[in-house]
Amino acid sequence: MATHLIIPTVLTFCLLWSCRFSAHAQVTTARSAADPIAVTWADMTVRVMTKAPKNTPTYGSRAIGYLGLTMYETVLYASAHHQSVFKKISGTYALPKPDRHKAYCWELALNAGQAYMLKALYSYTQKEQLIDSLETVLRQRYTSRLSPDVVERSEQFGRAVASIIYDWSKTDGGHQGYDRNFPPDFVWPNGEGLWTPPLVGQSKSKLPLHPTWGQNRTFSVRNGKLPLPKPLAYSTNPTSQYYNQCKEVLERKKTLTSADQATVMWWGDDPTETCSPPGHSYNLATIAIRTSQATLVKAAETYARVGMAVADAFVCCWKVKFTFMVQRPSTFIQDNFNPTRSWGPWLPFFLEPPFPSFYSGHAVQSAATATVLTELYGDAFFFTDNTHLNRLEDVYTYPSTALAKPGHPDPQMVAYVLTNKGKGRHYQSFWEAAQECAESRLMGGIHTRYENEVGLAEGAKIGRNINSLRWHLINVVRPFRKRPV
């Protein structure tokens, strides 16, 4: 059953000063509790991702990168302490700047920019009417109190920012990537220990997902230049690290408790059924914003950092995956621990995704998310993950009961139902959640421990590079002029 993340009812309450005309009032707005418009658009983003056909974690990560960046660049001038990061990451592209002598409603700029970008990135989903409806409802919250020229100026600014960022996005290598999820011209390499499609997996295709995604441009130049970590050397020697890492995957499945199974299913985020891992991370940003009552600009900065970090994580991860083409543990287990197929085919607890194993995409994007959220909200941040709160059940079924051999000491799990109604998962920190996400991939039989550990380490590097962009003015306050009388 697909995840249903419901857009919150648009609030009728709105602080009168949220769109005041003077520049001084704009600074005051930025120091106030976040207007729900930012999280409402994030909720819509996750909803569109969940329902999108051809949904993939790769394209979804790219989408939240550009949506988060757009949100930030449309509202940053509400703060006297923030600055644009776009010029630093885009090179020759330049964004418009607001007229300091004139009034803007930054919420309307955000509203227009998010609607523009979400429709541009997901035009193929036929969700324009849904997006337009949200833009209209949110727009009406502000326009009754504003003069027409302020409304028009604010919305034009938001759309202009979004339009330029979208034009820049077309040059990154991932534009309209949903049209080439499984390229038929992929050339398979030869050699031992290399990835082959799973017997039963998340995808019906036997081709790999987005094999050239690692060639895409990253948001952070530093992330595009990170050295590639090396996988363990393939070996069938029982004393080797490779052999024993795969053996741990085999043994771990035998000891799964119901709590372990619940953990695996919670973090599974199968893109064919849910908002995918990037959507999960974007929702964690929403939880941090709502829990802390972040300001409007900090909320936008949070979405930008998380979106860009997750997007870069998938580019970096895919570069490594398709450089080394490491097989999944299930293949090694089948060939070396079950060569006569006496168990039937050995299948992991969770369905395998259609791409190579090393290193873990779940781990790297979770670590990148944890790194930026920790920088923004601190090491000790208690929160409840509600991403799958409204998902009534997960039904996980292998296509044929013939795959199972009841009575064998390691029988296949053919069907599994997990009821999540009314339940969230509680964490003391963002890193605790990231580590659990990574561990879930070992428990699910998808990754070895080494692949998870490398993913966590690489994600931390990627997140730090996003944090190192100059988001804030240092010891400088942008001089705002009051509205001319």
Side-chain angles (χ1 to χ4, degrees):
M1 181 180 241
T3 304
H4 299 291
L5 294 174
I6 302 173
I7 302 173
T9 302
V10 178
L11 302 176
T12 56
F13 171 74
C14 181
L15 300 177
L16 282 175
W17 41 256
S18 65
C19 288
R20 282 186 182 171
F21 292 4
S22 73
H24 178 73
Q26 293 163 0
V27 177
T28 303
T29 300
R31 293 173 182 167
S32 315
D35 191 291
I37 196 168
V39 294
T40 300
W41 273 111
D43 286 343
M44 172 60 84
T45 294
V46 173
R47 180 180 181 183
V48 170
M49 291 173 67
T50 302
K51 296 292 186 179
K54 308 178 186 178
N55 186 24
T56 65
T58 36
Y59 188 80
S61 70
R62 177 181 181 271
I64 63 171
Y66 288 112
L67 282 158
L69 175 63
T70 300
M71 188 184 293
Y72 176 73
E73 295 291 342
T74 54
V75 303
L76 73 93
Y77 291 99
S79 168
H81 303 284
H82 286 74
Q83 64 179 347
S84 172
V85 297
F86 184 69
K87 183 66 176 177
K88 182 175 179 62
I89 64 179
S90 67
T92 59
Y93 286 77
L95 295 178
K97 294 183 179 180
D99 187 333
R100 301 284 178 79
H101 297 277
K102 296 182 178 179
Y104 291 80
C105 178
W106 302 114
E107 291 84 354
L108 283 179
L110 182 154
N111 192 47
Q114 289 297 285
Y116 181 103
M117 185 62 75
L118 191 55
K119 286 190 292 185
L121 292 170
Y122 285 99
S123 60
Y124 78 97
T125 66
Q126 310 300 314
K127 298 295 183 183
E128 286 93 342
Q129 184 176 358
L130 182 67
I131 296 168
D132 287 338
S133 295
L134 178 61
E135 182 185 16
T136 299
V137 169
L138 294 175
R139 185 177 188 269
Q140 290 171 349
R141 293 170 54 192
Y142 303 96
T143 54
S144 63
R145 303 187 308 279
L146 299 171
S147 63
D149 64 315
V150 172
V151 172
E152 181 179 6
R153 184 183 309 118
S154 303
E155 293 182 332
Q156 283 182 350
F157 178 76
R159 292 190 192 102
V161 168
S163 175
I164 291 171
I165 293 177
Y166 182 63
D167 284 344
W168 177 60
S169 78
K170 295 177 183 177
T171 65
D172 73 350
H175 180 57
Q176 296 180 338
Y178 48 79
D179 281 335
R180 53 185 186 280
N181 285 351
F182 302 99
D185 58 350
F186 179 74
V187 178
W188 294 91
N190 295 316
E192 62 179 1
L194 299 184
W195 179 76
T196 56
L199 177 66
V200 181
Q202 293 175 14
S203 170
K204 294 180 181 179
S205 175
K206 294 303 180 183
L207 292 166
L209 173 67
H210 285 147
T212 61
W213 200 263
Q215 300 171 22
N216 291 356
R217 181 184 64 219
T218 53
F219 284 94
S220 163
V221 174
R222 290 181 180 177
N223 283 336
K225 296 179 179 179
L226 285 173
L228 274 58
K230 299 292 177 62
L232 295 175
Y234 176 82
S235 175
T236 59
N237 188 325
T239 65
S240 68
Q241 277 187 284
Y242 193 99
Y243 183 97
N244 283 286
Q245 288 276 319
C246 292
K247 184 178 180 181
E248 182 184 17
V249 175
L250 169 67
E251 297 301 326
R252 188 67 182 88
K253 182 184 175 183
K254 298 176 183 178
T255 63
L256 289 179
T257 65
S258 59
D260 293 335
Q261 293 167 355
T263 300
V264 173
M265 299 303 288
W266 185 266
W267 290 106
D269 291 320
D270 183 342
T272 65
E273 297 289 335
T274 73
C275 59
S276 81
H280 199 151
S281 288
Y282 214 52
N283 191 56
L284 293 185
T286 294
I287 293 167
I289 292 163
R290 284 190 170 125
T291 302
S292 66
Q293 296 185 318
T295 65
L296 175 63
V297 179
K298 185 171 182 179
E301 181 186 356
T302 302
Y303 287 124
R305 289 207 204 190
V306 169
M308 292 161 65
V310 170
D312 281 6
F314 274 92
V315 172
C316 294
C317 183
W318 253 242
K319 184 188 299 184
V320 174
K321 282 183 182 294
F322 286 93
T323 295
F324 298 107
M325 290 291 291
V326 174
Q327 66 182 190
R328 291 280 173 180
S330 62
T331 304
F332 187 88
I333 290 169
Q334 186 75 356
D335 292 344
N336 292 275
F337 295 95
N338 186 28
T340 64
R341 306 301 192 261
S342 59
W343 308 341
W346 191 90
L347 298 173
F349 172 74
F350 197 80
L351 288 170
E352 287 184 26
F355 39 81
S357 194
F358 180 78
Y359 51 81
S360 169
H362 273 65
V364 68
Q365 70 97 34
S366 293
T369 298
T371 300
V372 298
L373 289 178
T374 299
E375 173 81 5
L376 289 165
Y377 296 96
D379 292 314
F381 190 95
F382 177 83
F383 68 95
T384 298
D385 183 4
N386 64 5
T387 303
H388 300 307
L389 198 61
N390 297 300
R391 189 179 188 187
L392 298 182
E393 63 181 13
D394 292 325
V395 181
Y396 179 43
T397 307
Y398 282 117
S400 172
T401 55
L403 293 175
K405 287 199 171 185
H408 188 275
D410 184 29
Q412 300 301 317
M413 179 163 291
V414 177
Y416 174 69
V417 177
L418 169 67
T419 301
N420 285 320
K421 187 175 181 180
K423 297 179 182 178
R425 294 181 72 85
H426 309 293
Y427 302 96
Q428 299 292 332
S429 70
F430 300 112
W431 267 103
E432 181 185 357
Q435 290 166 338
E436 182 182 89
C437 176
E439 182 72 12
S440 75
R441 304 307 274 175
L442 169 63
M443 294 190 293
I446 304 297
H447 284 291
T448 65
R449 185 175 300 279
Y450 177 75
E451 290 168 340
N452 291 331
E453 290 172 347
V454 172
L456 289 172
E458 293 301 303
K461 297 175 189 175
I462 291 164
R464 287 196 295 268
N465 285 336
I466 294 298
N467 287 338
S468 70
L469 297 173
R470 291 189 59 188
W471 299 89
H472 306 140
L473 292 164
I474 302 174
N475 299 323
V476 175
V477 176
R478 183 183 293 109
F480 278 84
R481 297 183 179 89
K482 292 186 177 181
R483 177 176 63 89
V485 178

